[in-house]
Amino acid sequence: MDVNTTSHSDVPTSPSFTDVVKSYVALTKPRIIELLLLTTVPVMFLAQEGVPPFWLVIATFVGGALSAGSANALNCVVDADIDQMMRRTSRRPLARHQIPTRNALVFGLVLGVVSTAVLGFWVNWLSAGLALAANVFYVIGYTMILKRRTTQNIVWGGAAGCFPAMIGWTAVTNELAWAPVVLFLVVFFWTPPHFWSLAMRYREDYAAASVPMLPSVVGSAEVARQIVAYTWVMVGTSLLLWPLTPTGWFYPAVAIVLGIVFLIEAYDLKSRAQDTEELSVLKPMRLFHYSNAYLALLFVAAAVDPFLR
């Protein structure tokens, strides 16, 4: 007897509400948001020279998170084609077709509008303008123009990730000063060593996606040489905060120690890169992971310093 049956596993199932929420959250790249907020909130303590108003910290935190989430979501929309080709990004929601592209675009734009309103009405319009400028520059300047056209993409495009330091300062003071400019430059010079060490690990992905990230275009020895050069400039720039704020003894002491360790890691990578392209020998992720710790500890030191003067 011929019986037509359909197994339960063959029936397509709609994603649950929880799965949909998780997909939209993933679209905002929460780990990147964490790092950006880590360069925002500590600067508020430095600008206040103490504890800033709680409500102001919350408003800046929420507005900054929404702004970063907007930029990241729009980045995913523009880069959906290459995200599918790269191991590191292949599990992003648009790469896996978990969210319609139109929905993701609307989601990103709405987050941008809401973040501007939150920062404008609850913090100040200078901070809102800086956040909006960072968003636009990241999406248009980096993602749409620089990323696929030049090996210097992350150098100039990475400037978008430097704005949180200035946003944290202006949230408290409603004006710019040399201190947040120095911290902006610290993050600017930190970005190439940070991202290029990661890109060394995934250089084949970038090559397959035709993205001219420096490690996919030149040899590891040249990448490591440039990482060392940027690290020296970054460490020197970080020490400029001492006379310009001015800080007490704690911040420069921490900056020197952290900078020395960063330089050691950079030179170790440069040494390993002289005779091999083998990733198991290069171990570029060592520098990448330390770079995250460096930035976090440096900005926390800037926040703690006022309490120890």
Side-chain angles (χ1 to χ4, degrees):
M1 181 173 60
D2 186 15
V3 179
N4 292 323
T5 60
T6 302
S7 69
H8 181 71
S9 61
D10 293 333
V11 178
T13 58
S14 299
S16 67
F17 176 78
T18 301
D19 291 335
V20 172
V21 171
K22 286 181 178 178
S23 294
Y24 277 97
V25 171
L27 201 63
T28 67
K29 305 180 187 177
R31 296 192 68 178
I32 294 178
I33 293 177
E34 291 174 6
L35 190 61
L36 293 174
L37 292 176
L38 198 55
T39 59
T40 304
V41 176
V43 179
M44 298 180 71
F45 285 76
L46 180 65
Q48 186 73 39
E49 296 191 16
V51 181
F54 178 73
W55 66 266
L56 184 62
V57 174
I58 295 300
T60 307
F61 184 94
V62 172
L66 292 173
S67 179
S70 167
N72 291 333
L74 295 173
N75 168 268
C76 286
V77 171
V78 177
D79 278 353
D81 58 332
I82 60 176
D83 281 349
Q84 296 180 65
M85 303 178 192
M86 299 173 60
R87 288 173 298 164
R88 186 174 68 87
T89 58
S90 62
R91 296 186 63 82
R92 288 177 178 170
L94 289 181
R96 300 181 68 187
H97 307 287
Q98 295 174 323
I99 299 173
T101 301
R102 180 181 177 182
N103 292 10
L105 175 61
V106 172
F107 177 67
L109 292 173
V110 169
L111 286 184
V113 172
V114 173
S115 68
T116 303
V118 168
L119 290 171
F121 288 110
W122 292 354
V123 182
N124 57 61
W125 288 104
L126 176 57
S127 298
L130 289 170
L132 181 60
N135 191 334
V136 171
F137 184 72
Y138 181 67
V139 175
I140 298 178
Y142 170 64
T143 308
M144 298 179 69
I145 297 176
L146 294 170
K147 185 172 183 177
R148 308 190 193 204
R149 289 178 171 84
T150 172
T151 58
Q152 297 300 298
N153 46 22
I154 199 63
V155 176
W156 300 108
C162 307
F163 277 80
M166 295 199 295
I167 294 168
W169 185 276
T170 58
V172 172
T173 66
N174 200 19
E175 62 182 12
L176 286 171
W178 281 112
V181 172
V182 169
L183 293 172
F184 177 101
L185 291 173
V186 169
V187 182
F188 181 83
F189 293 121
W190 167 88
T191 301
H194 166 74
F195 201 87
W196 283 339
S197 57
L198 176 67
M200 287 177 75
R201 169 70 177 81
Y202 293 101
R203 60 194 177 191
E204 293 180 1
D205 280 3
Y206 287 108
S210 299
V211 176
M213 201 63 67
L214 187 67
S216 69
V217 176
V218 304
S220 296
E222 174 60 21
V223 177
R225 185 191 68 79
Q226 293 200 36
I227 284 176
V228 168
Y230 274 100
T231 301
W232 272 109
V233 178
M234 176 197 72
V235 173
T237 303
S238 72
L239 295 175
L240 291 177
L241 188 65
W242 183 19
L244 289 177
T245 304
T247 65
W249 62 269
F250 183 72
Y251 171 81
V254 172
I256 290 172
V257 172
L258 292 174
I260 289 173
V261 176
F262 206 126
L263 283 166
I264 290 172
E265 288 290 341
Y267 272 104
D268 281 350
L269 177 61
K270 183 174 182 289
S271 177
R272 295 193 297 271
Q274 295 309 305
D275 302 314
T276 184
E277 292 289 338
E278 182 62 41
L279 287 174
S280 61
V281 178
L282 290 171
K283 300 177 181 177
M285 296 301 286
R286 276 184 51 177
L287 181 62
F288 173 77
H289 290 308
Y290 177 72
S291 69
N292 286 325
Y294 169 88
L295 197 68
L297 293 174
L298 186 75
F299 274 74
V300 169
V304 171
D305 187 271
F307 298 98
L308 301 178
R309 295 178 198 170

